[in-house]
Amino acid sequence: MTGYDSGLMNPTTPSNGALLSVFEQHYAELVRYIARRTGSMEDARGLAHDTWLRIAERAPDPDAALADPRAYLFTVSHNVAMNHLRRGNWLQGYLAEREQIDGAAPAQAPDVAESAMYRQAVASVEAALAGLPARVRDTYLAHGLHGEKQVDIAARLGLSIDTVKRDIAQATRGIEQALHQWRHTSDKDKTAAARTGRRRSLAALLGVFAVGVTGTAVWQHLQRESMRFQATLATLRGRMLQRSLPDGSELTLDAQSRLDVDYTAARRLTRLHEGAAFFAVQRDETRPFVVQALGVEVTVLGTRFGVEIDGGRGVIVQVESGRVRVDAGGHSAELGAGQSLRISEAGQVLTRVARPAAWRQGELEFDAVPLADALARVARYAPAALRATPAAARLPISGKVRVAEANGWLASLPSVLPVRVERQPDGSIDIAHR
């Protein structure tokens, strides 16, 4: 490289380049400023990273000159911090209100909270059906499940139509009572409860709950599907995503990452296809939480941990709290808080890690990794491609990089490695061995 170019990572917007340069100069001060407002140094690092992303994505405006870039920077960070606090206050109020209104698990999203309640409802209905007289139960099943006409049921069982109707009504009352007991609703509340969307939805699903005592495949299918939740989540370059899952677990997805979520009544499964994700898992002993990535399987009940597919197509598992079991290549290992395991074709390496999934706070750590892998990691946030020649790609590099200061890290590479760094007209960056 012939000289340091402060626009390496953002060549198209001169004003943005100046702002990002100011950001790098005042990073430590900015983090302290945000921490004083949020009361959390960890949140402050993450919000400082959000500030950097907001500036980096700022629309180009060559005619807009900033008289005081530092003041503008701190104004942006103040707005980011205040939005964070407002979201937190709103969420706490919303969850408290929902918990008070209907007792739903407070961390569940309203549109999927019904699914998490079905399993308990199913158990209540099964118990109610099992307690019915055999003839009443069989009559209700024949009509409700198999769709047999009441007149045909009466002829087959040698009963009057009125008796068949009474049996069906008795079964219906027993099931409704079981559901009201499950929902803890009094007789006074039943009319109002019947009008709510959630209870109507639940009643619609359980309209064929009578199959419970038959042990049929239909009922088993309903049990499984009532707990089913599927989604595909993906992020773009420079973008992160935070999402609440139906069981109350929290997911943070790194930039340029993709995963599938597949919840069933038996287990909670996520498949990480690329990038990195951090999971804060709600404990559920009946349904383990499983993450799969490139043949590696991580199983937990309740913990906080990160999983990452690195540039060399290895898998890194880092545990912040609790314990996880990692299965790969026929071998199993248990990790505790502060431990990191890297699984690759070369084998498995267990180390200690002070800050698991530090990318959540906009920091990347490399420990003797090929330069190609480090560039691939940084490239998730870069607006243009980062390339290395084969000779340069193999060079090992270690250290810590703040995403917001990637310009400086790229510029410093010639001082720690025998390489030269050149920016191309399209904004991409080439690194070659010298």
Side-chain angles (χ1 to χ4, degrees), residues 247-292:
D247 61 335
S249 298
E250 297 288 336
L251 163 68
T252 303
L253 196 61
D254 193 19
Q256 282 197 315
S257 301
R258 180 171 60 89
L259 61 73
D260 295 328
V261 180
D262 188 358
Y263 276 25
T264 68
R267 70 172 178 174
R268 300 167 289 172
L269 175 65
T270 61
R271 300 181 181 90
L272 182 65
H273 299 290
E274 59 180 318
F278 184 85
F279 305 90
V281 179
Q282 287 288 331
R283 186 176 183 85
D284 185 347
E285 295 185 358
T286 64
R287 289 198 302 166
F289 191 99
V290 179
V291 180
Q292 295 176 346

Side-chain angles (χ1 to χ4, degrees), residues 54 78-88:
R54 185 168 297 187
H78 173 81
N79 293 338
V80 169
M82 292 303 101
N83 287 339
H84 170 77
L85 292 175
R86 279 193 289 268
R87 284 195 302 269

Side-chain angles (χ1 to χ4, degrees), residues 87-242:
R87 284 195 302 269
N89 292 336
W90 176 88
L91 181 60
Q92 290 178 2
Y94 169 78
L95 294 179
E97 181 182 357
R98 295 308 304 174
E99 187 174 17
Q100 182 178 5
I101 291 174
D102 58 17
Q108 292 172 334
D111 59 339
V112 295
E114 299 168 6
S115 298
M117 299 191 297
Y118 287 153
R119 183 165 41 178
Q120 293 177 344
V122 163
S124 299
V125 169
E126 285 181 328
L129 288 169
L132 291 173
R135 191 196 70 198
V136 173
R137 182 174 61 242
D138 292 344
T139 299
Y140 186 81
L141 290 174
H143 179 67
L145 172 62
H146 301 295
E148 192 173 354
K149 296 180 179 179
Q150 294 180 6
V151 64
D152 294 335
I153 296 174
R156 178 169 56 82
L157 298 179
L159 303 173
S160 68
I161 291 292
D162 289 341
T163 300
V164 171
K165 290 181 178 179
R166 283 196 298 270
D167 286 351
I168 294 173
Q170 179 182 347
T172 301
R173 287 194 301 272
I175 291 166
E176 288 179 348
Q177 184 61 35
L179 286 176
H180 285 304
Q181 290 176 352
W182 165 72
R183 290 292 301 168
H184 305 293
T185 52
S186 65
D187 291 338
K188 182 178 179 181
D189 297 330
K190 289 178 184 177
T191 301
R195 289 197 297 264
T196 65
R198 175 169 293 173
R199 290 166 179 77
R200 283 199 301 268
S201 176
L202 181 62
L205 175 73
L206 297 180
V208 289
F209 46 56
V211 298
V213 295
T214 67
T216 63
V218 176
W219 178 244
Q220 294 170 359
H221 174 74
L222 270 179
Q223 287 180 305
R224 290 192 299 268
E225 291 304 310
S226 67
M227 298 297 295
R228 196 70 183 258
F229 173 81
Q230 293 179 307
T232 297
L233 304 176
T235 52
L236 301 175
R237 186 189 301 268
R239 294 281 190 175
M240 291 187 188
L241 174 69
Q242 291 184 321

